[in-house]
Amino acid sequence: MASVAVCPGSFDPITIGHLNIISRAAKLFDRVIVVVMVNSRKKGMFTPDERMDFIRRSITGLDNVEVDYYDGLLADYAQRKGAVAIVKGLRVLSDYEDEFKQALTNKRLAKDIETIFLVTDTEYMFLSSSVVKEVGSLGGEIDDFVPPEIKDDIIKRIRER
Ligand code: ADP
């Protein structure tokens, strides 16, 4: 049976750090579903539709990757999709505590689904969606932070907000 993995996140917006994790996951699993989730603790800048559109335009070369949106429990979603794994990226030690809690919670809720952490490539260690929004809104270059296909649109929309 084809192996399915989900890559959840806020993706507000997607960065090349996210894309690095998604493309590596795409080599490990037959099918990868990138799922946009709205984190109630983080105030988003882009709508779920905008985030999905940015992701779709960034993954054109990755044939086994698809994009979705879900506003419920990740464990339920992953089970419903028949996923064997939840793939997350780890940047720095400070990511770890929260990710560890989430992984343990998800294991309780869906015991057959494994959370797998891929360690970021060193060049993306500093990179987050917040960095993109901060630099972009202050007029800085975001060329090294987001996929080239979506750079202009992100800047345009940041400036409109
Ligand atoms: P952010 O922390 O930037 O708001 P998300 O909630 O969208 O990110 O994160 C989705 C997943 O992508 C998380 O597992 C997060 O750790 C991972 N991730 C985010 N940025 C990077 C990066 N630069 N390198 C590796 N993984 C990352």
Side-chain angles (χ1 to χ4, degrees):
M1 209 174 68
S3 59
V4 180
V6 294
C7 272
S10 318
F11 303 105
D12 186 45
I14 187 169
T15 68
I16 53 172
H18 290 127
L19 199 55
N20 173 257
I21 299 295
I22 294 165
S23 56
R24 288 161 60 194
K27 290 190 194 139
L28 296 172
F29 298 93
D30 295 318
R31 198 174 145 219
V32 171
I33 308 172
V34 180
V35 58
V36 173
M37 309 201 81
V38 173
N39 183 339
S40 52
R41 281 170 295 161
K42 291 185 197 166
K43 196 182 162 305
M45 175 176 270
F46 300 98
T47 66
D49 280 340
E50 287 174 324
R51 298 180 204 186
M52 284 200 291
D53 176 57
F54 288 144
I55 298 169
R56 254 185 224 112
R57 287 157 58 193
S58 306
I59 55 160
T60 44
L62 301 169
D63 294 339
N64 59 338
V65 180
E66 57 202 86
V67 187
D68 200 1
Y69 166 75
Y70 192 64
D71 65 357
L73 209 53
L74 174 63
D76 287 346
Y77 178 84
Q79 266 174 333
R80 197 141 42 76
K81 293 289 171 180
V84 293
I86 294 168
V87 177
K88 307 288 308 266
L90 274 187
R91 280 162 296 196
V92 284
L93 213 51
S94 55
D95 278 347
Y96 182 74
E97 192 179 344
D98 192 44
E99 293 290 358
F100 187 67
K101 276 189 257 175
Q102 285 182 42
L104 289 176
T105 308
N106 286 327
K107 191 73 183 173
R108 269 299 160 88
L109 298 171
K111 70 173 174 35
D112 294 329
I113 301 178
E114 300 293 344
T115 296
I116 294 182
F117 293 108
L118 298 180
V119 172
T120 184
D121 282 348
T122 45
E123 65 258 49
Y124 310 123
M125 266 179 76
F126 70 99
L127 188 52
S128 66
S129 301
S130 312
V131 165
V132 171
K133 288 180 277 194
E134 273 166 32
V135 172
S137 54
L138 295 170
E141 290 281 346
I142 58 165
D143 300 48
D144 290 342
F145 306 156
V146 300
E149 300 86 339
I150 57 173
K151 184 200 86 177
D152 290 341
D153 255 19
I154 290 180
I155 289 290
K156 187 165 153 264
R157 285 183 218 187
I158 288 177
R159 306 265 153 90
E160 281 165 8
R161 303 285 136 104

